[in-house]
């Protein structure tokens, strides 16, 4: 095991540096004197060529570098332009094309870190110069490195079985890859399964979803695990090991045929526990089928409701009723460990809890519902058989739909949840259709950007739905006139007419915001990715890389990355599957060769480094009395290097020499 | 390399502008700095960023060297505890930093000069806040008065230093 | 052929380095036979004028120990540099500043005040301070060297060829160095003549140091019992071994005391205390700030602990703004 630095020592040859200062159009040039920086670069030690150009990342820009390397014998390159996170690989490749080792390259970030953030042009220019000096000094200490390659395991882990996960899983499975689809609910389908109709086509959600759910269940390449969660993940791109935890159903999945006889036979005559799928609007028994089209079509037993599981005493009428002998109270939590090369995260969203806005009276007054609850009411398999009814069983004669509950709100979520305008319009249409009620939509802006969306809105305008543009201040039962007695009064400013209004209605629908899942922090730590400010999983680039993350091999699909509708979700899931497939298809990934190594001559065997490594890459060689790093396991954090008091541990691309020189470069010239 | 740095701090009309060397981790604080750029958040240009893969790479000797070579302040940026891309690197950085701060306090260095901040990848605004605040604090403190290390006797560099690459003529 | 001329001088020192020469034991006789000792104030009656009378480079090698903190010491260092082909800094004080170097934590005035006025054993009601010149009744003027305002190590005043570290240097380092000089087999100029690997390499307790060392408490040798078998750092004592050169045979461990760092850092470290802080910080176990702070309360004197022998040679050199505080 070669633990040396490729046999290279820093400074093996005299450096001859080419420096390229990019104007990036006006992005840098408008705040940094490009020619001044170029001239300054020309005065630095070891600089053979100093140029500036409008767009260094373009083909002609890269050609400049390639030609100079060949003509002037340059052996180190510095480009002062944008962030290395964006274009480091571009310029490294240019070096490689010219026959120069790609790691003889260093970037100075004078755009994201200088021109875009500095007001004074003179100070910005000085800062740019010091960063260029740092890069020029440092790059002289760069030495040749080989790229590290890791193989990619063709299996994929898809976490979350909503429409995003289902789409990704099917794409991958159809491409011949082995997919592990892990869903924590007893059935796949996610939120889409709870909807009745989907906008703007008013397709029946179940009709378009259940064939896919069925396809997933029956697909030979998909291992579908419901009631399961990913407990931890180790490894790295191409080589992840995931430990999946399975919660017991107390039902043998292979035996149950979904006849529901056990439910009828249960000692509880009526349901007493909130049915989660019905958003709490109906009650279920301890043994239950999540919903009629649940996939797998298997009942489950709630261990916190079932008499036998709680107290050990029950007539077990369910067991008697089951002709398939499918009930098994002895089931325990089990685990599976799978090896995968890539992961798609499609863990979805949760709804904003409107109890956080007491002015809207949710949970306090009757007939105030969330949009998700109304989805269940209008759904024919829902708690009211598809009838929109009040608590007293009657149909409402007037309904108010309040947009932006918890969205676009500095007190709660500043963002727009993207789907609620269309969802509110859809519900307005369905409610009107089912009940003939007067429907009022209270909105701030009407956001209908998708294909057919504006037309849908237009149609609704023609259906006699009332639209009031103004934020709702309050939902109250405090009547001020006889007409308001027994009603819910919505108070809002109607900004179009410049008046505050009181609209009495029978039912209020709150279009609640989409929020990240409550355990999004745990999930992101498990997969070692970041979250954005609001808690959505962070994409690598908001425009150009919306499905990949900063952790190679981990992809995002659906609302977990940010609120979006079903078309966007499906598109993103396809993209995530596509990127995973691209990686798998290539078969390998090149990783930054920034691993650490230990010089056995300098190592005293003090063991300080051994406990630093979270990847157990460092071991002690008892014979030689020194520490050794396994370059395959090393992830290149450099923590052991920072700990080593002898300078025996070093990190490629971040050696002590390189860092000290960079510090000196920053401080010595400007 | 035993004197304090020879180059004066960049100035507009002769006013003192502190130079802050920042050691930022790639995954969180460096990314947050890029985000601040993308978001066009302006902040004081006193901070010059050096990128590391992890705050765990940061050796206290880097900080001492930066101060010796003329930095008016050093800012270390890493991921929030529990969020390190490499799991535990930032905890190591924190403990080393705390020990170093104790030493620096005894050596009379103002606490504002060496600072550790946890800044997540999405916290571009925090980055702006911290850099502005630190620049302002150091402006008020004025330049540090680290006593110059006496120059070595005539002839050689201080022994034990890294022998610098021979520089070619430009 | 005449024997090479050798000098041995002391600046701000305790005399321990002189005594360490005696550690050569019988070997001293061989050394004395092979060289011509021309300047060794502790042992022989040579004067400064004798050195001044020499030709430049007349001494083959001169060992200078002690830190530089007075004008006289600086003058002697420069004089000996001129008169020697090889100038070797001998012992911690000339290598890195040594114990006297800790005076750089205090202002000149506070030192003088303490020593000449405030210390419990001082009786000086008229607060007399040493004066550079004093007229004496006999009609002459006697002079005293002036104390500098900072303590420096030898290479901060003159060009130094080699270093023999240690407080006092282990005798093996001295005898190896003498042999190397006599046989003209010296390494590149500027080398520290001691193994360039840290002390853990030769410490007999290394096998008792666990692979997952993690310190939940720190102890001080004066206040806690030291197990004679187990790695001292593992026990929680601040042993500078991981950051300090070997070559001393781990004698302090044999005496059941932790290493205090007298041989200085290995060549790849830029700052001895900083190197140790990096290592020590990395093996503390608390994770949250309050617990870390509480643990670090056990280190009341970081500068004295981590720079006991090397403050002048360190990156910080002296306490910040000490002249005014």
């Amino acid at each position: 095991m070669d633990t040396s630095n490729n046999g290279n020592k820093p400074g093996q040859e005299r450096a001859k540096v080419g420096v390229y200062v990019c104007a990036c159009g006006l992005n840098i040039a408008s705040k940094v004197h490009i020619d001044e920086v170029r001239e300054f670069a020309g005065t630095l030690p070891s600089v053979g060529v100093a140029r500036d150009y409008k767009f260094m990342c373009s083909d002609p820009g890269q050609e400049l570098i390639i030609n100079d390397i060949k003509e002037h014998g340059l052996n180190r390159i510095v480009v002062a332009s944008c962030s290395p996170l964006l274009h480091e690989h571009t310029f490294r490749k240019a070096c490689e094309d010219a026959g120069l080792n790609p790691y003889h390259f260093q970037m100075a970030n004078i755009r994201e870190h200088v021109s875009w953030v500095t007001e004074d042009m003179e100070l910005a220019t000085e800062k740019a110069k010091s960063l260029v000096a740092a890069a020029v000094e440092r790059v002289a200490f760069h030495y040749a490195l080989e790229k590290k390659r890791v193989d990619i395991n063709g299996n994929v882990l898809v976490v979350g079985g909503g429409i995003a996960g289902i789409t990704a899983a099917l794409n991958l499975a159809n491409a011949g890859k082995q997919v592990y689809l892990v869903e924590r609910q007893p059935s796949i389908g996610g939120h889409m399964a709870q909807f009745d109709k989907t906008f703007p086509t008013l397709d029946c959600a179940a009709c378009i979803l259940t064939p896919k759910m069925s396809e997933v269940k029956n697909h030979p390449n998909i291992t579908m695990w419901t009631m399961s969660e990913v407990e931890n993940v180790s490894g790295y791109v191409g080589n992840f090991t995931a430990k999946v935890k399975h919660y017991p159903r107390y039902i043998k999945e292979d035996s149950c045929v979904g006849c529901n006889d056990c439910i009828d036979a249960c000692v509880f005559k009526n349901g007493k526990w909130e049915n989660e799928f019905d958003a709490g609007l109906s009650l279920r028994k301890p043994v239950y089928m999540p919903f009629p089209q649940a996939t797998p079509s298997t009942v489950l037993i709630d261990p916190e409701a079932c008499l036998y599981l709680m107290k050990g005493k029950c007539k077990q009428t369910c067991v008697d009723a089951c002709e398939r002998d499918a009930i098994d109270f002895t089931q325990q939590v089990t685990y599976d460990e799978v090896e995968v090369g890539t992961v798609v995260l499609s863990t979805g969203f949760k709804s904003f809890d409107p109890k956080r806005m007491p002015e809207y009276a949710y949970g306090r007054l009757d007939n105030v519902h969330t949009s998700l609850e109304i989805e269940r009411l209008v759904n024919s398999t829902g708690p009211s058989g598809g009838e929109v009814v009040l608590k007293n069983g009657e149909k409402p004669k007037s309904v108010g739909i309040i947009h932006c509950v918890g969205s676009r709100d500095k007190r709660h979520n500043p963002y727009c949840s993207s789907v609620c305008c269309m969802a509110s319009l859809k519900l307005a249409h369905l409610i009107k259709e089912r009940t003939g009620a007067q429907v009022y939509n209270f909105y701030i802006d009407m956001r209908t950007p998708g294909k057919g969306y504006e037309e849908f809105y237009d149609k609704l305008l023609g259906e006699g739905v009332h639209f009031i543009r103004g934020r709702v201040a309050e939902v109250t039962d405090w009547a001020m006139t006889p007409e308001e007695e027994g009603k819910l009064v919505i108070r809002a400013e109607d900004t179009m007419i410049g008046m505050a209004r009181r609209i009495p209605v029978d039912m209020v629908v709150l279009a609640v915001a989409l929020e990240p899942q409550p355990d999004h922090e745990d999930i992101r730590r498990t997969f070692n990715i970041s979250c954005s400010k609001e808690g959505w999983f962070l994409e690598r680039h908001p425009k150009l890389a919306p499905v990949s993350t900063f952790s190679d091999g981990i992809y995002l699909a659906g609302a977990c990355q940010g609120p979006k509708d079903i078309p966007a979700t499906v598109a993103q899931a396809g993209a995530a599957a596509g990127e995973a497939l691209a990686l798998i298809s290539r078969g390998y990934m090149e990783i930054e060769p920034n691993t650490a190594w230990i010089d056995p001559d300098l190592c005293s065997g003090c063991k300080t480094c051994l406990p630093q490594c979270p990847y157990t890459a460092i071991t002690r060689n008892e014979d030689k009395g020194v520490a050794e790093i396994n370059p395959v396991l090393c992830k290149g954090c450099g923590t052991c290097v920072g700990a080593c008091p002898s300078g025996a541990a070093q990190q490629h691309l971040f050696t002590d020499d390189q860092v000290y020189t960079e510090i000196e470069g920053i401080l010595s010239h400007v | 390399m035993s004197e304090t740095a020879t180059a004066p701090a960049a100035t507009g009309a002769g006013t003192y502008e502190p130079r802050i060397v920042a050691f930022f981790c790639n995954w969180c604080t460096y990314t947050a700095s890029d985000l601040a750029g993308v978001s066009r958040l302006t902040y004081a240009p006193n901070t010059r960023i050096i990128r590391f893969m992890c705050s765990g790479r940061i050796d206290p000797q880097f900080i001492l060297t930066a101060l010796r070579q003329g930095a008016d302040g050093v800012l270390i940026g890493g991921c929030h505890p529990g969020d390190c891309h490499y799991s535990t690197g930032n905890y190591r950085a924190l403990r080393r930093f705390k020990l170093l701060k104790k030493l620096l306090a005894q050596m009379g260095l103002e606490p504002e000069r060496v600072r550790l901040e946890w800044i997540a990848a999405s916290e571009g605004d925090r980055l702006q806040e911290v850099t502005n605040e630190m620049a302002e604090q150091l402006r008020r403190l004025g330049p540090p008065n680290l006593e110059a290390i006496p120059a070595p006797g005539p002839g050689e560099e201080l022994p034990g230093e890294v022998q610098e690459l021979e520089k070619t003529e430009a | 052929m005449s024997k090479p001329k050798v000098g041995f001088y002391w600046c701000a020192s305790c005399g321990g380095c002189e005594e360490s020469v005696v550690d050569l034991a019988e070997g001293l006789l061989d050394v004395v036979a092979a060289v011509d000792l021309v300047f060794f104030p502790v042992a022989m009656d040579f004067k400064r004028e004798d050195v001044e009378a020499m030709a430049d480079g007349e001494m083959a090698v001169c060992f200078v120990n002690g830190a530089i903190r007075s004008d006289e010491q600086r003058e002697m260092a420069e004089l000996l540099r001129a008169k020697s082909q090889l100038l070797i800094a001998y012992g911690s004080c000339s290598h890195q500043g040594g114990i006297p170097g800790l005076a750089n934590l205090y202002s000149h005035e506070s030192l003088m005040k303490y020593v000449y006025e405030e210390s419990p054993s001082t009786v000086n009601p008229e607060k007399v301070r040493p004066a550079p010149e004093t007229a004496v009744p006999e009609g002459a003027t006697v002079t005293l060297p002036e104390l500098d305002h900072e303590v420096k190590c030898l290479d901060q005043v003159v060009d130094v060829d080699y270093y023999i570290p240690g407080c006092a240097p282990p005798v093996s380092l001295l005898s190896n160095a003498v042999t190397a000089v006599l046989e003209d087999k010296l390494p590149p100029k500027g080398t520290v003549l001691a193994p360039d690997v840290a002390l853990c390499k030769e410490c007999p307790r290394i096998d008792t140091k666990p692979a997952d060392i993690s310190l939940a408490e720190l102890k001080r040798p004066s206040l806690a019992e030291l197990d004679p078998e187990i790695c001292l750092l593992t026990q929680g004592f601040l042993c500078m071994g991981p950051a300090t050169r070997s070559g001393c045979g781990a004698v302090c461990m044999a005496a059941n005391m932790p290493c205090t760092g007298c041989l200085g850092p290995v060549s790849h470290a830029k700052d001895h205390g900083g190197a140790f802080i990096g290592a020590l910080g990395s093996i503390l176990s608390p994770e949250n700030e309050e617990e870390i702070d509480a643990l670090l309360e056990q280190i009341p004197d970081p500068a004295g602990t981590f720079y006991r022998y090397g403050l002048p040679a360190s990156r910080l050199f002296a306490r910040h703004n000490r002249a005014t505080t």
Side-chain angles (χ1 to χ4, degrees):
Chain A
M1 178 167 59
D2 178 16
T3 55
S4 71
N5 57 334
N6 301 327
N8 276 312
K9 295 271 181 286
Q12 256 191 320
E13 63 205 319
R14 288 163 182 248
K16 189 169 182 195
V17 187
V19 182
Y20 301 86
V21 185
C22 185
C24 194
L26 284 177
N27 278 306
I28 301 178
S30 61
K31 276 293 183 196
V32 172
H33 294 296
I34 301 294
D35 45 357
E36 210 181 297
V37 177
R38 185 207 67 231
E39 267 170 45
F40 166 78
T43 66
L44 293 171
S46 306
V47 171
V49 162
R51 297 194 198 285
D52 65 86
Y53 189 66
K54 244 181 157 43
F55 294 104
M56 279 311 298
C57 56
S58 66
D59 274 348
Q62 295 180 52
E63 283 298 312
L64 271 183
I65 297 176
I66 295 172
N67 288 340
D68 283 345
I69 289 174
K70 292 182 182 157
E71 277 174 34
H72 296 272
L74 301 176
N75 57 28
R76 299 287 188 287
I77 302 291
V78 167
V79 172
S81 59
C82 51
S83 172
L85 297 185
L86 203 53
H87 274 309
E88 187 168 53
H89 70 274
T90 310
F91 297 118
R92 278 189 180 156
K93 179 138 194 335
C95 292
E96 213 174 6
D97 290 345
L100 183 65
N101 185 286
Y103 299 96
H104 280 178
F105 170 75
Q106 177 74 0
M107 258 173 104
N109 183 336
I110 62 171
R111 190 184 71 172
E112 281 84 340
H113 291 186
V114 182
S115 69
W116 275 352
V117 294
T118 310
E119 280 177 10
D120 181 303
M121 194 157 179
E122 307 313 312
L123 293 177
T125 304
E126 294 302 280
K127 183 173 174 179
K129 285 183 194 170
S130 84
L131 292 175
V132 168
V136 168
E137 296 268 18
R138 188 198 213 274
V139 81
F141 283 80
H142 283 210
Y143 47 88
L145 286 170
E146 295 278 308
K147 282 179 231 188
K148 242 176 86 161
R149 263 194 192 188
V150 290
D151 289 330
I152 306 289
N153 180 318
N155 299 343
V156 187
L157 176 68
V158 177
V159 185
I163 183 60
I166 288 170
T167 304
L170 286 172
N171 281 11
L172 290 160
N174 287 338
K177 305 304 161 201
Q178 178 62 39
V179 178
Y180 298 98
L181 178 61
V182 178
E183 166 58 51
R184 69 160 48 130
Q185 298 296 336
S187 165
I188 57 173
H191 282 106
M192 186 175 171
Q194 293 174 292
F195 301 161
D196 178 42
K197 304 272 192 289
T198 56
F199 56 76
T201 48
L202 298 178
D203 277 308
C204 154
C207 305
I208 55 180
L209 181 62
T210 46
K212 287 196 182 287
M213 287 161 65
S214 191
E215 210 184 325
V216 164
K217 176 150 199 312
N218 297 320
H219 204 297
N221 290 342
I222 299 180
T223 303
M224 183 184 78
W225 282 324
T226 51
M227 305 215 28
S228 302
E229 285 177 346
V230 177
E231 194 170 77
N232 75 35
V233 176
S234 61
Y236 49 96
V237 59
N239 302 274
F240 294 112
T241 301
K243 188 171 174 192
V244 182
K245 181 177 182 179
H246 308 293
Y247 291 95
R249 275 179 194 263
Y250 307 102
I251 306 288
K252 294 181 213 153
E253 267 190 53
D254 293 332
S255 305
C256 175
V257 292
C259 67
N260 290 359
D261 283 351
C262 53
I263 301 177
D264 296 330
C266 178
V267 293
F268 285 97
K269 286 294 148 236
N270 297 306
K272 279 173 66 176
W273 291 268
E274 276 191 6
N275 184 328
E276 296 88 342
F277 191 78
D278 274 342
L281 290 181
S282 66
L283 300 172
R284 59 162 173 80
K285 300 185 186 181
V287 57
Y288 66 106
M289 176 72 80
F291 56 99
Q293 303 97 338
T295 306
S297 181
T298 307
V299 299
L300 69 150
I301 301 180
D302 178 357
E304 285 170 21
C306 170
L307 264 185
Y308 184 71
L309 288 170
M310 295 269 281
K311 302 198 173 118
K313 282 195 308 200
C314 178
K315 284 193 289 199
Q316 296 187 40
T317 43
C318 54
V319 177
D320 298 331
C322 181
E323 285 174 20
R324 305 272 303 165
D325 196 28
I327 299 183
D328 178 4
F329 288 112
T330 66
Q331 281 186 357
Q332 304 282 327
V333 166
T334 59
Y335 293 92
D336 265 302
E337 239 183 40
V338 293
E339 312 267 319
V340 297
T342 49
V343 178
V344 176
L345 293 178
S346 43
T347 50
F349 66 92
K350 81 165 190 356
S351 296
F352 173 80
D353 178 1
K355 287 208 188 91
R356 291 160 62 186
M357 296 178 75
E359 63 269 28
Y360 288 170
Y362 179 82
R364 184 167 51 86
L365 296 179
D366 288 338
N367 299 314
V368 179
H369 290 294
T370 66
S371 39
L372 200 57
E373 289 166 10
I374 301 299
E375 294 280 356
R376 295 312 301 150
L377 283 183
V378 300
N379 194 308
S380 56
T381 63
S384 57
E387 296 296 332
V388 180
V389 289
L390 302 170
K391 195 163 178 191
N392 60 15
E394 289 174 11
K395 289 192 191 178
K397 296 207 178 55
S398 49
V399 179
I401 302 179
I402 304 179
H403 292 217
C404 306
V405 175
S407 306
R408 307 187 65 186
D409 189 332
K410 285 203 175 77
R411 298 168 298 169
H412 300 293
N413 298 302
Y415 54 83
C416 163
S417 289
S418 177
V419 305
C420 341
C421 275
M422 281 307 296
S424 301
L425 292 176
K426 170 189 76 175
L427 290 177
H429 169 85
L430 292 174
I431 291 171
K432 198 161 183 66
E433 189 182 63
R434 307 277 167 98
T435 65
Q438 293 296 320
V439 179
Y440 302 87
N441 280 58
F442 296 84
Y443 68 101
I444 307 175
D445 293 288
M446 199 53 80
R447 296 195 159 164
T448 54
K451 217 165 178 178
Y453 289 14
E454 183 67 18
E455 294 86 333
F456 186 83
Y457 174 35
D458 218 35
K459 190 169 70 128
L460 231 58
L461 288 168
E463 284 177 14
V465 173
H466 308 283
F467 288 93
I468 296 169
R469 185 176 183 277
R471 188 151 220 157
V472 170
E474 189 187 13
V475 172
T476 177
D477 61 349
W478 198 51
M480 283 177 75
T481 65
E483 296 84 48
E484 291 179 2
E485 289 292 341
K487 301 266 196 208
L488 296 165
V489 178
I490 298 179
R491 293 178 54 221
E493 183 192 356
D494 187 336
T495 57
M496 297 286 201
I497 60 175
M499 274 177 57
R501 291 177 66 175
R502 296 173 66 92
I503 315 262
V505 294
D506 292 324
M507 175 188 270
V508 170
V509 180
L510 304 173
V512 286
L514 272 58
E515 288 185 326
Q517 292 279 18
D519 60 345
H520 65 270
E521 281 287 324
D522 292 331
I523 300 173
R524 79 155 187 89
R525 282 205 190 105
T526 303
F527 293 93
N528 202 12
I529 58 173
S530 306
C531 282
S532 62
K533 233 184 172 49
E534 302 84 16
W536 307 108
F537 296 144
L538 188 65
E539 65 286 328
R540 191 176 273 247
H541 190 276
K543 289 197 167 37
L544 297 179
V547 301
S548 50
T549 61
F550 285 107
S551 296
D552 292 323
I554 314 272
Y555 302 98
L556 305 174
C560 63
Q561 182 259 343
K564 55 178 68 72
D565 55 22
I566 293 170
T569 297
V570 172
Q572 193 179 38
E579 292 214 11
L581 280 169
L583 193 57
I584 297 169
S585 164
R586 183 157 34 116
Y588 65 86
M589 170 125 195
E590 284 172 339
I591 317 197
E592 190 84 331
N594 57 7
T595 50
W597 85 93
I598 294 177
D599 185 333
D601 294 329
L602 297 175
C603 175
S604 70
C606 74
K607 304 185 189 175
T608 303
C609 57
L610 299 178
Q612 306 300 314
C613 184
Y615 308 101
T616 62
I618 316 180
T619 50
R620 180 175 165 89
N621 180 323
E622 285 297 344
D623 295 329
K624 297 185 190 161
V626 297
E628 289 171 342
I629 296 179
N630 182 340
V632 172
L633 294 177
C634 174
K635 296 288 147 287
C637 70
T639 303
C640 57
V641 184
C644 176
S646 300
Q650 288 299 329
Q651 181 184 11
H652 292 304
L653 293 176
F654 295 92
T655 62
D656 279 348
D657 293 346
Q658 289 163 354
V659 174
Y660 284 121
T661 320
E662 195 172 355
I663 295 172
E664 186 168 353
I666 283 199
L667 295 167
S668 308
H669 296 277
V670 177
Chain B
M1 186 270 320
S2 59
E3 303 280 351
T4 50
T6 51
T11 62
T15 50
Y16 163 67
E17 280 299 332
R19 290 182 303 169
I20 302 168
V21 177
F23 299 125
F24 283 173
C25 89
N26 180 62
W27 305 98
C28 282
T29 319
Y30 193 91
T31 302
S33 308
D34 277 359
L35 176 61
V38 165
S39 315
R40 310 297 198 274
L41 303 174
T42 49
Y43 54 87
N46 308 66
T47 303
R48 276 86 159 128
I49 299 170
I50 292 183
R51 175 177 160 231
F52 293 92
M53 295 316 290
C54 179
S55 52
R57 173 68 185 90
I58 299 168
D59 189 325
Q61 295 177 82
F62 295 161
I63 299 160
L64 293 167
T65 302
L67 291 168
R68 170 52 50 193
Q69 290 193 296
D72 300 283
V74 175
L75 174 64
I76 300 145
C79 305
H80 287 267
D83 296 348
C84 176
H85 185 85
Y86 305 97
S87 175
T88 50
N90 55 352
Y91 287 113
R92 313 284 178 182
L94 174 65
R95 293 174 216 144
R96 292 174 205 154
F97 170 79
K98 287 252 156 205
L99 194 42
L100 180 69
K101 284 288 272 185
K102 216 173 141 75
L103 169 73
L104 294 176
Q106 187 187 11
M107 294 298 286
L109 206 68
E110 300 95 327
E112 294 89 339
R113 293 195 187 277
V114 178
R115 179 169 175 171
L116 176 76
E117 282 293 331
W118 305 129
I119 299 180
S122 58
E123 293 182 312
D125 50 355
R126 177 97 188 107
L127 185 280
Q128 176 194 38
E129 202 184 304
V130 168
T131 45
N132 278 340
E133 187 180 84
M134 197 166 173
E136 183 50 37
Q137 285 171 337
L138 297 186
R139 235 175 252 130
R140 271 188 267 119
L141 283 178
N145 269 323
L146 278 193
E147 222 166 300
I149 292 182
E156 306 297 317
E157 297 177 342
L158 278 183
E161 298 294 358
V162 171
Q163 293 303 310
E164 280 190 24
L165 196 60
E166 275 183 84
K167 309 279 200 262
T168 56
E169 304 303 306
Chain C
M1 202 177 77
S2 62
K3 292 191 282 191
K5 295 186 175 166
V6 172
F8 206 101
Y9 187 67
W10 49 4
C11 300
S13 94
C14 66
C17 287
E18 274 69 18
E19 291 171 35
S20 76
V21 172
V22 178
D23 283 340
L24 286 168
E26 310 81 55
L28 184 58
L29 298 171
D30 299 325
V31 173
V32 167
V35 305
D36 190 8
L37 265 178
V38 295
F39 189 53
F40 194 8
V42 77
M44 300 141 98
D45 190 23
F46 290 106
K47 297 280 193 280
R48 178 174 169 150
E49 295 78 52
D50 301 319
V51 181
E52 284 166 347
M54 293 179 192
D56 278 359
E58 191 170 313
M59 280 192 278
V61 56
C62 186
F63 297 87
V64 176
N65 69 76
I68 310 291
R69 66 186 307 186
S70 79
D71 50 4
E72 187 204 14
Q73 288 154 2
R74 187 169 44 258
E75 286 167 16
M76 285 305 297
E78 286 165 359
L79 179 66
L80 292 167
R81 170 73 270 185
K83 306 297 179 185
S84 313
Q85 290 164 44
L86 291 177
L87 191 70
I88 297 186
Y90 188 79
S92 296
C93 294
S94 57
H95 176 211
Q96 301 223 299
I99 303 267
L102 290 171
N104 281 358
L105 291 172
Y106 304 97
S107 70
H108 177 82
E109 173 55 28
S110 69
L111 282 175
M112 298 299 280
K113 200 162 166 61
Y114 185 79
V115 168
Y116 289 100
E117 295 171 36
E118 293 171 343
S119 106
S121 56
T122 301
V123 179
N124 184 7
E126 274 129 65
K127 302 193 196 306
V128 179
R129 294 273 183 98
E133 290 183 348
T134 310
V136 293
E138 293 77 1
T141 302
V142 295
T143 60
L144 278 178
E146 288 207 64
L147 199 68
D148 287 343
H149 285 227
E150 65 282 305
V151 179
K152 304 187 199 75
C153 53
L154 189 60
D155 66 17
Q156 288 169 345
V157 291
V158 291
D159 187 36
V160 171
D161 294 296
Y162 297 97
Y163 305 82
I164 300 179
C167 179
V171 66
S172 59
L173 298 189
L174 173 61
S175 70
N176 290 344
V178 170
T179 309
V181 169
L182 292 176
E183 295 179 4
D184 200 19
K185 284 186 183 151
L186 287 163
K189 176 174 168 166
T191 306
V192 174
L193 299 174
D196 197 8
V197 69
L199 183 56
C200 293
K201 188 95 188 170
E202 62 179 20
C203 179
R205 304 194 192 191
I206 188 62
D207 289 334
T208 66
K209 189 175 186 181
D212 57 351
I213 181 171
S214 182
L215 302 178
E217 57 172 337
L218 296 172
K219 301 181 199 160
R220 298 167 67 186
S222 52
L223 299 174
E225 222 176 288
L226 302 97
D227 185 307
E229 308 282 325
I230 299 177
C231 162
L232 288 155
L233 186 58
T234 306
Q235 293 181 52
F237 297 101
L238 292 177
C239 179
M240 297 269 290
T244 305
R245 275 187 201 254
S246 53
C248 53
V251 286
C252 291
M253 283 87 252
N256 206 20
M257 286 297 284
C259 168
T260 50
C262 77
L263 256 65
V266 294
S267 66
H268 286 255
K270 295 266 190 282
D271 179 287
H272 196 192
F276 187 66
I277 284 173
L280 178 64
S282 303
I283 59 172
L284 299 178
S285 60
E287 303 224 311
N288 73 55
E289 298 211 21
E290 291 76 36
E291 285 173 20
I292 298 173
D293 286 336
L295 179 60
L296 295 182
E297 289 291 307
Q298 299 307 309
I299 310 179
D301 178 14
T305 309
F306 304 133
Y307 295 99
R308 183 171 302 194
Y309 304 90
L311 188 59
S314 76
R315 281 278 187 264
L316 293 178
F317 177 69
R319 193 165 162 280
H320 184 239
N321 281 335
R322 70 200 165 103
T324 54
T325 51

